[in-house]
Amino acid sequence: MSSRNELGKIGIFVAEELERVYQELTALMGIPAPVWLKESFLACDVVIVDGISLEDFKAAGTTPLAGTSPLIIVCGPIQGENPGLRLETLPFNLGQEGTRLLMEGRDYTEAGVEEPSLDLMLETLRSVLRREVKNYLELPPKPWGNAYIMTLTHDLDILSLREMPIARTFLGYFYRSSLVNWKRWRSGKVTTSEFLQTLWEMVRTLAAKLGMGQDVWQRALPLLLDLEERLSVRSSLYFMPFPGKLGLLPQALQDGKNQGEAEVYAPANRASFYDAAKHRRTITRLEEEGWEAGVHGIDSWHSAPAARAEYKRISQLTGQKELGVRMHWLYFETPASFQAMEEGGFLYDATFGYNEVVGFRAGTLQPYHPLNCQTLWELPLHIQDGALMAEEHLDLTREDAFKQAKPVLAWAKRFGGAVSLLWHNQSFTAPRFWGEVYEQLIAEGKQDGAWIAIPRQVLKWFGLRREAEVTLTKEGAKWQVFCTQPGGEANDGPADTPLPPLRVRLYLDPGRIKECSVAYEAGEGYIDIPAQPLVTLEVEGDEPR
């Protein structure tokens, strides 16, 4: 049996300033062991180029051998005359646009934010690789046995109206429960029974403010947890680290009168008034029963010291070192916020999304490492309750909100990745009644075959995918696929929530498979197998080229 790796080789030859983004892009594509500039391209099937001169092939000693003629895939601007190379130019600037999407993202007003533009560009590149690369193999961003991943998250801005001062947020509840709720009832967005229930909850909340009983939002978190218990799902809940703190206002949100001021504070209603330390028992229970507690950041976006303080506050309550953060009101400044959060100790940030619409700010369904970070993951936000149904944003009915969000799940079925949902705890009670849409999306995900997991588990799975090493050996009709995972096996998760295996996709005609040592899934021109130390196949005939 030959030990030579029979997988085709993919070369990467890009300008030095683009190397980091292409490292991330090849990781998103699940390409095992691409060949980089400092190595030889002589045995490559294709070479991806961006920002270089074609004459550099000679200078770098990478001119292809006569007769090998690898395809040169042009993914961005190049210079120099073609010294007889086979070229195929793709219709986009992958390095530049990939950098913009992963680091700055698209504004919600841009056309096409409802489509994962980066995933679409990578799919175009992947289609060329499938055609040109011998025995092309990849690790798709979908676990074996699942169509995609779904992660559920909740920002806990408020845990009780009773603890709020009689100011904008407290009074805003009564405004929304009366006038706004009446308008929603007139337009058919709430039923008559829900309208009347909301009026009754106003009375109960006033009584709670006087010390009699619980207010409506005090009951919201238990309702949310009971729902997820009934649905057999778990989520991540982000707690405010400090009470009564407004935080700073990002420069992009400051008006002209603030120019020149060193620090400008956020509006008064950004502050929360619960002390997370008083909810230690709840936080402990969440972690013990499979939920995840994280940080709903105030100033983590602004500086590393602020991020460290907020990380430390919640870490002491959870007993966890691996914590995620999502900024309150999605405050962010790129690229500095990524670095501040990494230096603050966070495992991931989940802020990169929209308050106003549903869509793909980073252009992708996959979590990724920002280009100025080594360890921090960005878990993009795709679907938010307020964007769909709040009167200041899309203001949709519950039926239309589900229809608006559902295409995100369709994209995930096509490309894999991790759909991220945000539902605030107060959305499960009066006057919103938005929990119905949340439950519908979970049901849709389950029907699709999604793996629904907390971010900590999801990112461990994606980390294992990046660490995996895959090789292929052949001797006649006998093919062997080896997969090693230096970071551990994919099922090394908690005993009650094992991680699903990685998925390995090998492009060859499924009709040629006569025998396989494991169950496999056949697609159009490929087979999927679960990642195992060794999978043996009996393959009939020669690979057409």
Side-chain angles (χ1 to χ4, degrees), residues 112-128:
V113 296
E114 71 280 0
E115 297 183 347
S117 57
L118 182 57
D119 291 338
L120 286 165
M121 286 188 283
L122 296 180
E123 178 62 16
T124 300
L125 173 57
R126 188 181 288 113
S127 67
V128 181

Side-chain angles (χ1 to χ4, degrees), residues 423-443:
W423 244 251
H424 293 77
N425 55 313
Q426 61 263 43
S427 296
F428 293 86
T429 58
R432 291 181 173 177
F433 302 106
W434 295 345
E436 175 185 326
V437 183
Y438 180 73
E439 193 167 351
Q440 286 178 312
L441 289 169
I442 293 173

Side-chain angles (χ1 to χ4, degrees), residues 57 144 160 196 313 380 387 424 437 458 471:
F57 275 84
W144 176 256
S160 171
L196 295 175
R313 171 74 167 175
H424 293 77
V437 183
V458 170
T471 57

